[in-house]
């Protein structure tokens, strides 16, 4: 008998047998993954909609075809032999365990798959129910997971339930001084100081008994062990999860906080020194000055009205210098206290704030103050902002070199900030002095009128302590300079606690 006729009769018989069993068709059609029924000649007898969608065919395009056309070209020659081996001893099994399997879609693209084989006895005929899962979403998610680990800006480890390192990233290796191959499949204890290792096993088992995301060692000074034997401070977060094989794993995020600790220590030392300086300035310096001033008054009283003019002049000069010294102490205290944040945020109406500033300034008749305010209300601290605006506007007035001039105060929204600009048409500031004027007791010239060099330094401390920044630039199309202040328009925990 002709082989093609035999194959066709076998196919028709198998189809007839399958059509007689509606239950099997309904079962395959309801499976949540791709599925098909294949006979001993590797012909497809039935497919469900999920499989057709995965492969990009319609169901009618698949039924009756040889399954080989769905395989990569290099596997087709050996597939018939493998099918024959399977049907000689049919059993439930996963196909290609430990191997990368692919199927060819209608558009020619190979997709990664997972296949399960289940023999089905149908009226003395053996068929195979083949289930197919498209692994593309799983592999894409796994690749994304791997990339997120490698690209994380902090150290990352994945540790199994036994405390063995299974995944790490470059940032963590950099923190500890190891190469990745030196850490993979090594115990986590390798990264712990010796004194922690004895209890770490108990802590790990306790965590797995009640796994939940948490920060490790809250309130403790945690340290890790560098490859060179030195310890460094860290913050650690733990997040339990199950991998694709249902193994209990822990995602460990680690941050080296050495720089932060160093900065905190330096800041504590600065604050301590500043507090000591404030105490000395307000008590140890001011008290002797008051005593000198009192002695000066007593000397004047003792000398009486017949004091020689030169002596009287020298006594007056001593009095002036005492007053200057007291003013210097007041300026130092003002500067020291400027860095302390006002902890009472409130609704800011900028027009009212500027009205208050203008009322306290001596504005010459020929000086025009204009305002262009494009944001009127936001939440912030009133007194520090008013102090900054008063210092900048009063400086623009005081240092103007003519009786007629204009000062423009603008405020616009710029991202998370209110951007203030105070533009004047005065004599300007040399470019070389733009940074120096913000330092304590710095003025443009030694003979500057009434300048103490305190206002701009106080303004910068106030602005920066509240999370903003300040700068100055020369005007491009007119005389003068423009001071810029970026002041936060939202409350932040790091600036308003």
């Amino acid at each position: 008998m002709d082989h093609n006729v035999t194959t066709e009769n076998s196919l028709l018989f198998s189809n007839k047998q399958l059509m007689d069993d509606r239950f099997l068709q309904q079962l395959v059609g309801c499976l949540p993954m791709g599925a098909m029924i294949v006979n001993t000649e590797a012909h497809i007898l039935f497919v469900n909609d999920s499989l057709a969608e995965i492969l990009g065919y319609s169901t009618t395009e698949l039924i009756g075809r040889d399954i080989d056309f769905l395989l990569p070209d290099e596997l087709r020659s050996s597939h018939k032999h493998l099918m024959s081996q399977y049907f000689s001893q049919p059993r439930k099994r996963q196909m290609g365990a430990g191997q990368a399997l692919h199927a060819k879609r209608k558009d020619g693209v190979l997709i990664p798959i997972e296949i399960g084989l289940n023999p089905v006895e149908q009226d003395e005929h053996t068929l195979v129910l083949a289930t197919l899962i498209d692994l593309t979403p799983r592999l894409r998610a796994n690749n994304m997971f791997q990339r997120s680990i490698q690209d994380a800006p902090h150290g990352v480890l994945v540790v199994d339930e036994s405390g063995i390192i299974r995944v790490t990233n470059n940032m963590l290796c950099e923190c500890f001084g190891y190469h990745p191959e030196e850490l993979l499949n090594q115990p986590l204890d390798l990264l712990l100081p010796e004194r922690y290792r004895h209890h770490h096993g108990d802590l790990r088992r306790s965590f797995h008994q009640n796994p939940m995301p948490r920060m490790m060692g809250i309130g403790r000074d945690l340290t890790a062990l560098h490859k060179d034997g030195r310890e460094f401070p860290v913050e650690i977060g733990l997040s339990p999860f199950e991998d694709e094989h249902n193994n209990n794993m822990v995602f460990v995020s680690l941050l080296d906080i050495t720089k932060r600790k160093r900065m905190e220590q330096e800041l504590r030392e600065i604050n301590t020194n500043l507090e000591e300086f404030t105490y000395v300035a307000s008590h140890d310096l001011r008290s002797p000055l008051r005593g000198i001033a009192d002695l000066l008054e007593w000397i004047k009283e003792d000398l009486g009205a017949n004091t020689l003019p030169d002596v009287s002049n020298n006594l007056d000069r001593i009095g002036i210098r005492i007053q200057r010294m007291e003013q210097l102490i007041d300026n130092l205290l003002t500067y020291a206290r400027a860095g302390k944040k006002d902890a009472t945020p409130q609704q800011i109406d900028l027009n009212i704030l500027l009205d208050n500033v203008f009322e306290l300034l001596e504005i010459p008749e020929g000086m025009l103050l204009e305002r262009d305010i494009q944001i009127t209300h936001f939440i912030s601290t009133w007194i520090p902002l008013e102090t900054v605006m008063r210092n900048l506007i009063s400086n623009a007035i005081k240092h103007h070199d003519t009786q007629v001039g204009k000062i423009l105060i603008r405020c616009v929204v710029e991202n998370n900030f209110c951007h203030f600009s105070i533009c004047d048409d005065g004599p300007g500031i040399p470019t070389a002095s733009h940074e120096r004027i913000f330092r304590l007791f710095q003025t443009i010239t030694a003979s500057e009128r009434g300048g103490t060099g305190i206002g701009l330094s106080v303004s910068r401390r106030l602005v920066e302590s509240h999370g903003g920044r300040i700068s100055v630039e020369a005007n491009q199309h007119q005389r003068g300079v423009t001071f810029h202040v970026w002041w936060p328009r939202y409350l932040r925990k790091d600036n308003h606690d």
Side-chain angles (χ1 to χ4, degrees), residues 93-133:
R93 63 187 282 269
Q94 288 293 115
M95 185 175 173
Q99 300 178 15
L101 298 179
H102 293 83
K104 180 183 285 188
R105 291 191 325 203
K106 185 177 181 179
D107 58 10
V109 175
L110 296 179
I111 59 173
I113 58 171
E114 187 177 86
I115 297 178
L117 302 179
N118 296 273
V120 178
E121 296 296 329
Q122 184 77 355
D123 295 332
E124 300 181 358
H125 290 273
T126 301
L127 306 175
V128 175
L129 169 63
T131 58
L132 182 147
I133 298 175

Side-chain angles (χ1 to χ4, degrees), residues 145-146 149-150 156-160 164-169 172 180 183-185 241 249-252:
F145 177 70
Q146 293 292 337
I149 289 177
Q150 291 303 325
V156 173
L157 289 168
V158 174
V159 183
D160 66 17
I164 303 299
I165 300 171
R166 299 304 183 187
V167 178
T168 185
N169 72 346
L172 184 125
L183 292 179
L184 292 177
N185 301 317
F241 70 97
M249 312 292 283
V250 181
F251 185 92
V252 183

Side-chain angles (χ1 to χ4, degrees), residues 274 331-342 384 387 391 454-455 457-466:
L274 193 57
N331 289 342
L332 289 172
L333 291 174
T334 300
Y335 179 78
R337 292 163 180 160
K340 298 181 179 179
K341 301 169 190 170
D342 186 334
T387 301
N391 283 342
I454 189 73
S457 58
V458 168
S459 296
R460 183 167 71 172
R461 279 181 62 83
L462 286 171
V463 171
E464 292 180 351
S465 67
H466 286 80

